[in-house]
């Protein structure tokens, strides 16, 4: 039974995998037998990531690459293929958020979020697809969000990008399913990582941030998620266990999307 979840002999590229959700997914892939490849935007960030993998005893291959730069992505994808092998599993994890009320947000900031969170997954997927097609198999996992389904104040660009990423996922599944390539989304709920740290900061009187309380009331599990909560679902979507699952978004949210929220 465990064999269908095995990633033995597979090569997995997790974009922006130096820490946070990407790092946890990479750890899970390593435990399942995969070779881990990751990238980060600069040498300093990459070195920190390499240290973190080393500390966990994971022989990860790291590359400096800004996922929004098509030339850099194409060069990196070719280099990974030459130095490590054909990428079997791509996790489009790198992402940013800007929490700015829409009427105060510049078009430049809006474009930047769309560029990292939507255009980059297109660019990276496009770079790995030809070899997956030649090989006759491949897995692409796009890290979506609650904001692939829901809106809220201040996250217009992020919601637009993650909603778009959901549809890019369905389109990649539609266009390349015939080549035995599965493209699915993983939609984390509210997870404790540096990206969400400002939403959990303690108030000056030591009380919880109002947003922190709000999320706990909105989550049937009554807690924030940990990056490790994504490990099992991420392995499932990368393994043969999901070979007939395509164009699906697997929400790992402690039940947020099913729940109206606790009555105050
Ligand atoms: P995080 O802690 O901020 O980590 C994001 C990673 O992406 C960092 O390693 C960052 O690198 C990298 N990155 C950003 N821009 C990049 C670029 N242009 N090129 C290469 N790498 C880049 O975020 P996280 O919370 O782990 O989130 C990971 C993914 O999950 C994101 O797509 C996010 O939107 C999504 N997500 C997060 C949550 C949550 O609650 N945390 C929920 C749903 C979805 P450096 O900072 O080192 O430059
Ligand atoms: C926010 C959060 C979210 C989460 C996540 C939810 O400001 O609302 O940052 O967008 O990061 O994507 O799934």
């Amino acid at each position: 039974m465990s064999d269908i979840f095995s990633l033995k002999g597979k090569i997995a590229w997790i974009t922006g995998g130096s820490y946070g959700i990407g790092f946890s997914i990479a750890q899970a892939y390593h435990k399942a037998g995969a070779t881990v490849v990751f990238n980060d935007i600069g040498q300093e960030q990459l070195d920190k990531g390499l240290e973190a993998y080393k500390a966990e005893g994971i022989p990860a291959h790291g590359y400096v690459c800004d996922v929004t730069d098509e030339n850099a992505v194409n060069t990196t994808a070719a280099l990974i293929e030459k130095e490590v092998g054909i990428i079997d599993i791509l996790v489009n994890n790198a992402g940013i958020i800007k929490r700015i009320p829409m009427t105060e947000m510049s078009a430049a900031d809006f474009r930047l979020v769309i560029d990292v969170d939507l255009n980059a997954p297109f660019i990276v997927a496009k770079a790995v697809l030809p070899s997956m097609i030649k090989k006759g198999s491949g897995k692409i996992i796009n890290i979506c969000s609650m904001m692939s389904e829901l809106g809220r104040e201040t996250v217009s660009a992020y919601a637009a990008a993650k909603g778009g990423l959901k549809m890019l996922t369905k389109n990649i599944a539609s266009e390349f399913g015939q080549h035995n390539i599965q493209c699915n989304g993983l939609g984390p709920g509210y997870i404790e990582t540096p990206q969400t740290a400002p939403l959990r900061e303690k108030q000056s009187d030591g009380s919880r941030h109002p947003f922190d309380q709000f999320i706990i009331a909105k989550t049937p599990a009554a807690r924030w998620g940990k990056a490790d909560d994504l490990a099992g679902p991420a392995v499932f979507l990368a393994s043969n266990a999901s070979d007939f699952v395509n164009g699906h978004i697997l929400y790992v949210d402690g039940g947020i999307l099913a729940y109206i929220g606790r009555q105050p």
Side-chain angles (χ1 to χ4, degrees), residues 15-23 39-42 45-46 65-69 92-97 99 116-117 120 143-147 158 162 165 186-196 200 224-225 227 230:
T15 68
S18 295
Y19 58 87
I21 289 173
F23 185 74
N39 69 289
D40 209 323
I41 198 164
Q45 295 92 326
L46 188 84
C65 173
D66 177 344
V67 288
T68 63
D69 178 341
N92 275 314
N93 165 76
I96 59 167
I97 190 165
R99 298 181 187 98
V116 179
D117 293 357
I143 304 300
C144 295
S145 162
M146 294 294 88
M147 272 64 213
Y158 187 79
K162 294 293 186 178
L165 186 59
L186 189 60
Y190 279 81
I191 312 292
E192 290 176 358
T193 69
Q195 193 202 73
T196 54
R200 281 175 283 105
W224 284 70
L230 300 162

Side-chain angles (χ1 to χ4, degrees), residues 4 21 47 94-95 108-109 132 140 143 155 182 188 199 226 234 236 239 249:
I4 62 169
I21 289 173
D47 288 343
D109 274 342
M132 287 182 173
I140 298 178
I143 304 300
V155 297
Q182 292 84 46
L199 305 174
K226 309 260 180 222
F236 166 66
S239 71
I249 313 298

Side-chain angles (χ1 to χ4, degrees), residues 172-243:
I172 295 173
S174 307
E175 207 165 334
F176 300 100
Q178 61 185 313
H179 298 285
N180 189 28
I181 291 166
Q182 292 84 46
C183 180
N184 291 291
L186 189 60
Y190 279 81
I191 312 292
E192 290 176 358
T193 69
Q195 193 202 73
T196 54
L199 305 174
R200 281 175 283 105
E201 254 168 30
K202 284 259 177 346
Q203 303 295 90
S204 48
D205 63 0
S207 64
R208 300 181 93 129
H209 193 294
F211 195 85
D212 183 356
Q213 298 176 20
F214 166 68
I215 285 304
I216 289 171
K218 279 289 289 174
T219 310
R223 66 168 176 87
W224 284 70
K226 309 260 180 222
D228 284 349
D229 286 319
L230 300 162
V235 168
F236 166 66
L237 291 179
S239 71
N240 292 131
S242 61
D243 279 354

